[in-house]
Amino acid sequence: MPRPLGELEDAVMTRVWKWNRPVTVREVLEDLQQERSIAYTTVMTVLDNLHQKGWVRREAEGRAYRYEAVSTRAAYAAALMNDAWSQSDNPAAALVAFFGMMSEEQRQALSDAVRIVQGPETQEAAQAPQQEAAQAPQEENPGSAGDADGR
């Protein structure tokens, strides 16, 4: 399980993930300098640390390196959520609490994700009983308000 990224590691990885291509220390530095004062050696050290932790791979280009993300931000977020969930002494209660914190948009994204993971075969199997129930003839309940003479 990955440890959560530190603030500067996250700022660097955000750019690597966003650009989705091999990047140089200089590129990351110039972009970070739009938000904060930071030294070239600091960015180089952070990228080296991220390489040692397995977050980025690097390839030599002249006297420098180009760094590329090993996995996606989504995979990182999923690993953090999985770790937090697995540490609970009551995973079902943790999920219920988590779902309760979600916005409607997040719940819809969750629903979409579940449909994707289940795949078309599972979705078709789940829909079959619903379709059969909808197509079944409805039995009238004797004694209901459907009698013409009110009995």
Side-chain angles (χ1 to χ4, degrees):
M1 164 52 212
R3 223 181 73 236
L5 295 171
E7 180 189 344
L8 190 51
E9 289 174 326
D10 186 67
V12 170
M13 282 306 299
T14 294
R15 282 146 180 88
V16 174
W17 281 319
K18 180 175 70 172
W19 296 335
N20 197 26
R21 62 174 172 74
V23 300
T24 64
V25 171
R26 175 86 39 213
E27 289 174 307
V28 175
L29 171 73
E30 290 173 358
D31 199 59
L32 282 170
Q33 285 178 330
Q34 295 177 23
E35 298 172 4
R36 64 175 86 189
S37 177
I38 190 166
Y40 180 93
T41 53
T42 302
V43 176
M44 184 174 61
T45 299
V46 169
L47 279 163
D48 185 59
N49 290 343
L50 289 166
H51 176 256
Q52 290 177 21
K53 292 178 180 181
W55 287 107
V56 294
R57 63 179 146 262
R58 67 184 179 192
E59 209 172 293
E61 184 176 279
R63 294 183 343 183
Y65 288 106
R66 283 201 174 268
Y67 295 87
E68 186 174 14
V70 170
S71 65
T72 64
R73 184 181 263 304
Y76 166 69
L80 291 177
M81 289 187 288
N82 186 58
D83 184 57
W85 183 47
S86 67
Q87 291 181 28
S88 173
D89 60 346
N90 187 339
L95 281 175
V96 169
F98 180 63
F99 296 157
M101 295 177 201
M102 295 174 116
S103 68
E104 183 56 39
E105 182 178 283
Q106 291 169 322
R107 281 192 289 278
Q108 184 59 53
L110 175 65
S111 178
D112 293 344
V114 168
R115 278 194 297 278
I116 289 168
V117 169
Q118 287 178 336
E121 319 77 50
T122 308
Q123 292 171 28
E124 290 168 8
Q127 290 174 350
Q130 293 171 354
Q131 291 171 345
E132 289 172 12
Q135 294 172 353
Q138 299 295 317
E139 294 183 28
E140 287 194 28
N141 186 3
S144 68
D147 292 349
D149 59 0
R151 289 185 259 182

